């Protein structure tokens, strides 16, 4: 059974249909890269998976559990939607760190908010907070940020901020880690820092969906690649199949255009 099953997802904004009958699946421990030109629907797809946007149709299931079904018209509470989001850890292209919190506090924040909903929180507050802090310290250390935990976002480079964002996404131990063009706001040197972290996560068999414009990175790291254009999945397959033996003219034109830009 795949860890993620996406069936016939559609999404429109007004009269513009952004996602058109999107279906794919993802196996546990695998990395899926989504490529395509700007406006192809890649980011909207991630936002639908993370319930930052509500699809107009289709079904999303994680571990065999249906998280969204357009056929179910019952209203969902905000608390239930937040619970569904816990299956996905989101890393945004612009970091989205809270400027008033340190790196350590940014990583701890969501876990602390959730902990307060636990019935034993008041009784075991100190122990719970210490456990959350230790988890955040371990994650930031994995990101090679041991000496930056007390720094605020404005005191960090773009690459360091993105690594804090990755640690924050991992803090709640999501089933699937999602990256929305995580290097698009970075210069080449800082891009390398972040890609190194994602490569290491792939080596550890972290289940990931990566929207990226880094074609060489997608080819090296992904187990499966989707090419989107005009809100549809035009072609999908292994990196070798997509990059070396593409069967679709639109995919071929995109890859040719991209290589010319390089």
């Amino acid at each position: 059974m795949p860890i993620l099953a996406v069936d016939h997802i559609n999404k429109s904004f007004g009269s513009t249909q952004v996602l058109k009958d999107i279906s794919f699946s993802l196996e546990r421990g695998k990395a899926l890269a989504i490529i395509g030109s700007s406006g192809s629907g890649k980011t909207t797809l991630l936002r639908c998976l993370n319930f930052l946007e509500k699809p107009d149709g289709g079904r999303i299931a994680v571990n065999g559990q249906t998280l969204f079904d357009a056929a179910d018209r019952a209203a969902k509470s905000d608390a239930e939607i937040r619970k569904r989001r816990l299956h996905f850890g989101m890393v945004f292209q612009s970091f989205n760190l809270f400027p008033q919190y340190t790196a350590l506090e940014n990583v701890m924040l969501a876990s602390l908010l959730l902990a307060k909903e636990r019935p034993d929180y008041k009784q075991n507050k100190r122990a719970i907070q210490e456990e959350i802090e230790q988890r955040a310290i371990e994650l930031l250390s994995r990101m090679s940020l041991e000496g930056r935990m007390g720094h605020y976002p404005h005191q960090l480079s773009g690459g360091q901020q993105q690594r804090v964002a990755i640690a924050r996404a991992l803090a709640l131990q999501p089933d699937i880690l999602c990256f929305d063009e995580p290097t698009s706001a970075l210069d080449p040197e800082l891009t390398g820092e972040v890609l190194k972290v994602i490569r290491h996560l792939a080596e550890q068999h972290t289940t990931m969906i990566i929207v990226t414009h880094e074609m060489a990175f997608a080819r090296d790291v992904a187990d499966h690649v989707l090419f989107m254009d005009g809100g549809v999945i035009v072609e999908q397959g292994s990196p070798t199949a997509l990059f070396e033996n593409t069967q679709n003219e639109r995919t071929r034109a995109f890859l040719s255009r991209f290589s010319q830009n390089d």
Side-chain angles (χ1 to χ4, degrees):
M1 176 191 300
I3 190 172
L4 172 67
V6 177
D7 298 311
H8 307 293
I9 291 295
N10 294 286
K11 178 64 182 176
S12 295
F13 295 104
S15 61
T16 303
Q17 190 173 7
V18 180
L19 298 177
K20 307 170 186 176
D21 197 31
I22 299 293
S23 296
F24 66 93
S25 62
L26 177 62
E27 299 296 324
R28 182 180 299 277
K30 301 296 184 180
L32 170 69
I34 304 178
I35 62 173
S37 57
S38 297
S40 61
K42 308 184 300 297
T43 292
T44 299
L45 174 57
L46 276 194
R47 291 178 65 84
C48 284
L49 293 179
N50 199 42
F51 300 99
L52 295 171
E53 301 286 353
K54 182 180 178 181
D56 300 321
R59 177 178 175 272
I60 300 169
V62 174
N63 290 322
Q65 175 190 358
T66 298
L67 301 186
F68 172 82
D69 189 342
D72 178 7
R73 298 298 180 182
K76 308 299 179 184
S77 68
D78 289 344
E80 186 172 349
I81 291 173
R82 285 198 301 271
K83 186 176 179 180
R84 294 176 182 185
R85 284 181 182 151
L86 295 178
H87 292 282
F88 300 90
M90 191 76 171
V91 179
F92 301 90
Q93 54 185 294
S94 55
F95 323 136
N96 285 22
L97 300 178
F98 292 101
Q100 70 272 35
Y101 297 127
T102 65
L104 182 62
E105 290 167 342
N106 264 280
V107 178
M108 294 175 60
L109 182 60
S111 297
L112 288 172
L113 291 174
L114 285 173
K116 291 178 181 179
E117 299 178 5
R118 289 171 49 171
D120 64 334
Y121 179 73
K122 289 184 178 180
Q123 181 180 356
N124 301 302
K125 180 178 178 180
R126 182 182 295 273
I128 291 172
Q129 289 180 341
E130 288 178 353
E131 180 181 347
I132 291 172
E133 182 176 8
Q134 186 57 41
R135 167 75 174 161
I137 289 171
E138 290 173 359
L139 287 169
L140 287 168
S141 296
R142 284 174 59 187
M143 301 296 130
S144 300
L145 292 170
E146 296 91 336
R148 297 289 187 269
M149 296 187 192
H151 287 57
Y152 291 89
H154 73 273
Q155 297 173 310
L156 303 173
S157 70
Q160 290 169 340
Q161 290 186 65
Q162 195 61 295
R163 282 182 277 153
V164 173
I166 294 171
R168 180 180 61 182
L170 289 167
L172 297 177
Q173 298 178 291
D175 292 297
I176 303 163
L177 193 58
C178 300
F179 295 88
D180 183 14
E181 298 197 9
T183 61
S184 64
L186 304 177
D187 63 35
E189 181 179 356
L190 299 180
T191 291
E193 291 180 13
V194 174
L195 294 184
K196 181 179 179 180
V197 170
I198 302 175
R199 286 180 192 276
H200 184 60
L201 291 171
E203 291 168 359
Q204 295 177 318
H205 304 291
T206 304
T207 308
M208 297 186 289
I209 299 175
I210 310 164
V211 170
T212 183
H213 59 274
E214 300 283 347
M215 296 299 112
F217 174 73
R219 179 171 179 166
D220 292 343
V221 171
D223 298 289
H224 197 75
V225 183
L226 302 183
F227 169 61
M228 291 185 65
D229 189 34
V232 301
I233 296 175
V234 175
E235 189 171 4
Q236 60 178 302
S238 69
T240 299
L242 202 82
F243 288 103
E244 296 182 15
N245 301 303
T246 178
Q247 301 300 306
N248 188 280
E249 183 58 38
R250 286 161 72 183
T251 312
R252 193 176 299 116
F254 170 78
L255 294 174
S256 174
R257 191 166 62 247
F258 203 94
S259 63
Q260 289 173 4
N261 291 338
D262 287 347

